[in-house]
Amino acid sequence: MHRILEPEIMADAEQSLAYANADFSISNQSFVDHVLTYDTGPLRHVIDIGCGPCNVMVRLADACPDIHITAIDGSAAMIDLAGKTVRASGHESRIAVIQGYIPGLALPEHGFDAVLSKDLLHHLPDPMVLWSEIQRLGRTGAAVHVMDLIRPDTPQDAYDIVAKVAPDAHTILRQDFYNSLCAAFTIDEVNAQLQQVGLPLQIRQTSDRHMLISGTLP
Ligand SMILES: C[S@@+](CC[C@H](N)C(=O)[O-])C[C@H]1O[C@@H](n2cnc3c(N)ncnc32)[C@H](O)[C@@H]1O
């Protein structure tokens, strides 16, 4: 099927809360484990683009006592939730939560040892915005880890994935998940994006619905 765009920013408070309360612990932890096992040297200054409620970055901060994370999201509702999550975790001195939008983040160029993003790519009408921002924000040799959904072949396939993975989830969350699957890219499309922007990253399919795009900046 063709890509069907969903609203870019998760601005709705009820939608954001349903997302924040959902149990994404398995994919969140697998992303963090991947970041930690990827051999790119010390992670001191890290940015997470599209941090949502910050559940993922709290896990990363739990595992890395020396890390400093800049977590940005375009949604005021998500940033509000992220602030609460970070304060509850006790990591507020190491995780800065900022409302910000890509493109156009007012952050210094090439200031980060790693650029991370989980489940943001499929929200973007123009995916090149993320790849350009990664090139602008990461230093030479910075680690890049982007995890996102893979668009299924048909709407029925998307429906089946939602039914399998989230049978008892909140209605808002199920609709959100379905919309996200339909808005996601295929691995071939992401490959073409990386070639267009000249980023030497590797794409790996990690489940029936997830891909992981990783590497270091030249
Ligand atoms: C599906 S959530 C993922 C949240 C988090 N990374 C996670 O995995 O739990 C995607 C987030 O990206 C944000 N977003 C979408 N487009 C954005 C943009 N252009 N700039 C900044 N944030 C954006 C949305 O507001 C939303 O909170």
Side-chain angles (χ1 to χ4, degrees):
M1 66 170 153
H2 293 293
R3 190 176 180 223
I4 305 167
L5 284 180
E6 67 173 338
E8 183 181 4
I9 299 296
M10 293 176 73
D12 182 74
E14 198 182 0
Q15 180 197 30
S16 299
L17 188 62
Y19 188 89
N21 289 337
D23 181 7
F24 296 125
S25 51
I26 291 178
S27 65
N28 288 353
Q29 190 59 45
S30 94
F31 183 66
V32 168
D33 289 345
H34 173 78
V35 171
L36 294 176
T37 52
Y38 201 88
D39 185 18
T40 49
L43 293 176
R44 289 194 195 92
H45 296 285
V46 170
I47 183 162
D48 180 29
I49 306 176
C51 63
C54 237
N55 295 334
V56 185
M57 288 306 108
V58 164
R59 282 174 186 267
L60 185 61
D62 282 343
C64 298
D66 297 328
I67 205 167
H68 284 82
I69 299 169
T70 303
I72 73 105
D73 200 288
S75 159
M78 281 296 193
I79 287 299
D80 186 43
L81 291 165
K84 288 178 181 149
T85 312
V86 169
R87 282 192 294 280
S89 74
H91 292 319
E92 58 270 50
S93 64
R94 295 192 293 122
I95 305 180
V97 175
I98 299 170
Q99 186 176 359
Y101 181 80
I102 62 160
L105 281 180
L107 289 171
E109 292 190 4
H110 310 302
F112 293 94
D113 301 320
V115 187
L116 311 179
S117 184
K118 179 176 170 287
D119 290 330
L120 160 77
L121 182 63
H122 65 268
H123 279 270
L124 301 173
D126 176 7
M128 303 314 284
V129 159
L130 177 60
W131 306 122
S132 308
E133 203 65 7
I134 285 172
Q135 288 176 314
R136 194 182 72 79
L137 292 169
R139 63 162 172 76
T140 299
V144 177
H145 300 289
V146 173
M147 188 181 211
D148 212 278
L149 294 167
I150 300 171
R151 188 170 76 250
D153 291 338
T154 67
Q156 183 62 47
D157 290 342
Y159 181 86
D160 290 345
I161 290 174
V162 175
K164 184 183 81 175
V165 175
D168 304 317
H170 192 297
T171 314
I172 294 178
L173 206 62
R174 287 168 58 89
Q175 186 62 51
D176 215 21
F177 187 18
Y178 177 83
N179 293 344
S180 294
L181 286 164
C182 295
F185 295 96
T186 65
I187 287 180
D188 285 349
E189 287 168 344
V190 174
N191 242 323
Q193 293 161 19
L194 295 176
Q195 278 182 20
Q196 189 183 327
V197 78
L199 269 178
L201 306 178
Q202 307 299 316
I203 308 177
R204 188 160 60 87
Q205 181 163 353
T206 54
S207 78
D208 58 349
R209 58 190 183 282
H210 282 114
M211 65 175 112
L212 198 48
I213 304 132
S214 287
T216 50
L217 288 184

